[in-house]
Amino acid sequence: MVLKKLSRKVKTLVTKPFDKKRGRSSPPPLPPAPSFHKPPSPIHFSPSSPEQQQLLLSPTFPFVFPQENSTVLPDPSAFFSTALLSSPLPTNSFFQNFTLKNGDQPEYIHPYLVKPTGSALSVSYPSIFHNSAFTYQVFNADLTLSAAAPSAADRHVITSFNDLSVTLDFPSSNLRFFLVRGSPFLTCSVSGNTPISISTIHAILSCSSPTNSLNKYTVKLNNNQTWLIYSSSPINLTHTTSSITSAAGFSGILRIAILPDESDPGSESESVLDRFSSCYPVSGEAILSKPFSVEYKWEKKGWGDLLMLAHPLHLKLLSGDDCDVTVMEGLKYRSMDGDLVAVAGDSWVLKSDPVSVTWHSIKGIKDNGYNEIVDALRKDVDGLNASAIATTSSYFYGKLVARGARLALIAEEVGFPDVIPAVRKFLKETIEPWLEGTFNGNGFMYDGKWGGIVTKQGLTDSGADFGFGIYNDHHFHLGYFLYGIAVLAKIDPAWGRKYRPQAYSLMADFMNLGKRSDSSYTRLRCFDLYKLHSWAGGLTEFADGRNQESTSEAVNAYYSAALMGLAYGDTHLVAIGSSLAAMEIQAAQTWWHVKEGDTIYATDFTAENKVVGVLWASKRDSGLWFAPPEWKECRLGIQVLPLLPITEVVFSDLKFARELVDWTLPALGREGVGEGWKGFVYALEAMFDKGSALEKTKRLNGHDDGNSLSNMLWWIHSRDDEGGCEGGGGKFCWFGHYCH
């Protein structure tokens, strides 16, 4: 087996716990995470009341939007334990299907698809179907574990969850499953001396205990799978062609793992699983204690070392300077996300490339572009008119707010302050009604059932605001509002102080870090600390799990939160927002950007696609929610918008940017292509052919509703004339050169 050591010290593989290594120097820890807790009774003040004016002096005052009851949200009490219902609940989690409708759609708990059905839990080591249009993991109930005499009324209850784990109980069956992401073992705790049944849709060819110890069984199925069953104490198993049962009751721990495809019984892979079978995780959390770093810690039981699986981005970010882990490249499991590689170690530290959050362009505007940008600014600012906005959609309205805010920052950068008062007026007139609850036709409300912000329209219509009322796309919508708020707080600090509680409440809806039971919001509503990117699916049951379409809008959400931190002098918010944006970017570059020569996806999918349309937990689709696969300009554009300084970091690999544009350009000849979508193609083209992009941009007859000619010219004139370099990189953090 190939062993890759992620440590400067030479170590041998032994079964004693790995000690956390102390580096020679470490970044200082962040201040404690802000706690967004709710008061016993949410307090609401009119903006002009003396009480609010006094309380607004405190930056941590926990403002809560007016609470209303939704008629479209599902009842969380169907699957969450009573003890969990008093706290805000996750709405975009890796186990969300287990909480919706019958709770019986599978979820991908790497490396297995797991599906609760009634009183049983089925596990599948999925095969991967692929063609040029999509690729997905196929669920088959390879093994189904239940009590031998299950209760017909029994079904799973979620008794605990964390960033990296969820625990499912089947109370009447005396079964508890510790579903920990990345564990090669499915772990079940059995109590009450319960007889066990393991069934399969395949034929069982053999089930034997190799050493007759009755603590380990090898199960061979007729689909060429070999499964290993480990028990904490002897268990006598017998089998028929379709099921395995215990001859008597059992109490203890059962662990089940498949031998990967390329492994044979008695192989080195099996010896590794044997060796680590006695140590099992019961939960796992991710700790954001330092900028651009996340630490995984698992609560484990049993004895020996912990064995987990790392996906490709984990392996890229795993830091041997901060933790003692051993990467065991000889033990791999296939996955939709790329090979999952075994890692031994009780905790991991992942470090992303640092990203500097900036108000203005990273490289600066070229001198010959100033006059052209100023001319465009005059026209775009003259066109700002809050009273003329027809939409009441939280998404499209938010985009218009952010579009206006961009104009103020562009004006700052080109030294044209004359237009900033008009932008300030527009931002006040558009943002304040949403924060004060006076916007006609919609507004932000608080849902106490799951714990989070919803919209007035979404209270009675699950499709309104693109499903915002059922917790879909929260980071997209709120990210645009936060961008406008950050800019307005920057150019008008007094306004920023006045509306700081509402601003922080919007941010906390999707970026709360606390786990307090009296919090108003769940922890990191959208961001997945195992996959290191966000999900947008909300409380809708999907056979393929959660999904996300636009990575750039997700980046915008965390980037805008960091900008808000800059405006308020909140270094902790800057650090967390920047860190989440950095990880979202690297995840986008890993799984959404399909580069030439990539091996994560099958060759037929890679050959036809340069960017994933919608990425699901267990599927990759070339189409979009709103457009077919052949509308390549939309597929490119939805991964670019909104056009911001941080877009340069997202597309720091200029070779890929060129590949993506070359792949997209022929689609612009199709009849009916929108001018706004063309603009985003030209924006990426400007990264390597500034002159061509500028000419094409000047011929556009319109722009995306979140974009403008001023913004396009700002972007193009801040590109390198020579087109930059063709490499990757893209840290864009100068101080990083002096931190080693």
Short mmCIF file of all heavy atoms in Angstrom, two decimals, residues 94 404 430 460 468 608 712:
data_model
loop_
_atom_site.label_atom_id
_atom_site.label_comp_id
_atom_site.label_asym_id
_atom_site.label_seq_id
_atom_site.Cartn_x
_atom_site.Cartn_y
_atom_site.Cartn_z
N PHE A 94 -27.16 17.82 4.58
CA PHE A 94 -26.85 16.61 3.83
C PHE A 94 -27.83 15.48 4.13
O PHE A 94 -27.88 14.50 3.39
CB PHE A 94 -25.42 16.16 4.15
CG PHE A 94 -25.21 15.72 5.58
CD1 PHE A 94 -25.30 14.40 5.93
CD2 PHE A 94 -24.93 16.65 6.57
CE1 PHE A 94 -25.12 13.99 7.25
CE2 PHE A 94 -24.74 16.26 7.88
CZ PHE A 94 -24.84 14.92 8.23
N GLY A 404 -27.08 48.82 -8.11
CA GLY A 404 -26.89 50.22 -7.76
C GLY A 404 -25.67 50.44 -6.88
O GLY A 404 -24.92 51.40 -7.06
N THR A 430 -34.42 51.93 -1.54
CA THR A 430 -34.70 50.53 -1.89
C THR A 430 -34.51 49.58 -0.71
O THR A 430 -35.25 48.59 -0.58
CB THR A 430 -33.81 50.08 -3.06
OG1 THR A 430 -32.43 50.36 -2.76
CG2 THR A 430 -34.21 50.76 -4.35
N THR A 460 -47.41 31.80 2.04
CA THR A 460 -48.57 31.06 1.52
C THR A 460 -48.33 30.44 0.15
O THR A 460 -49.20 29.74 -0.36
CB THR A 460 -49.80 31.99 1.43
OG1 THR A 460 -49.47 33.12 0.61
CG2 THR A 460 -50.21 32.47 2.82
N PHE A 468 -38.08 30.85 -1.60
CA PHE A 468 -37.44 31.42 -0.40
C PHE A 468 -38.23 31.06 0.86
O PHE A 468 -37.64 30.85 1.92
CB PHE A 468 -37.34 32.94 -0.55
CG PHE A 468 -36.45 33.60 0.47
CD1 PHE A 468 -35.12 33.84 0.20
CD2 PHE A 468 -36.96 34.00 1.70
CE1 PHE A 468 -34.29 34.45 1.14
CE2 PHE A 468 -36.15 34.62 2.64
CZ PHE A 468 -34.81 34.84 2.36
N GLU A 608 -18.00 16.85 -23.31
CA GLU A 608 -19.08 17.69 -23.82
C GLU A 608 -19.39 18.90 -22.95
O GLU A 608 -20.15 19.78 -23.34
CB GLU A 608 -20.36 16.85 -23.98
CG GLU A 608 -20.28 15.79 -25.04
CD GLU A 608 -20.09 16.38 -26.44
OE1 GLU A 608 -20.67 17.45 -26.71
OE2 GLU A 608 -19.35 15.78 -27.23
N MET A 712 -19.45 46.58 -16.61
CA MET A 712 -18.72 45.88 -17.66
C MET A 712 -17.44 46.62 -18.03
O MET A 712 -16.37 46.01 -18.17
CB MET A 712 -19.61 45.71 -18.89
CG MET A 712 -20.71 44.67 -18.75
SD MET A 712 -20.06 42.98 -18.66
CE MET A 712 -19.33 42.80 -20.30
#
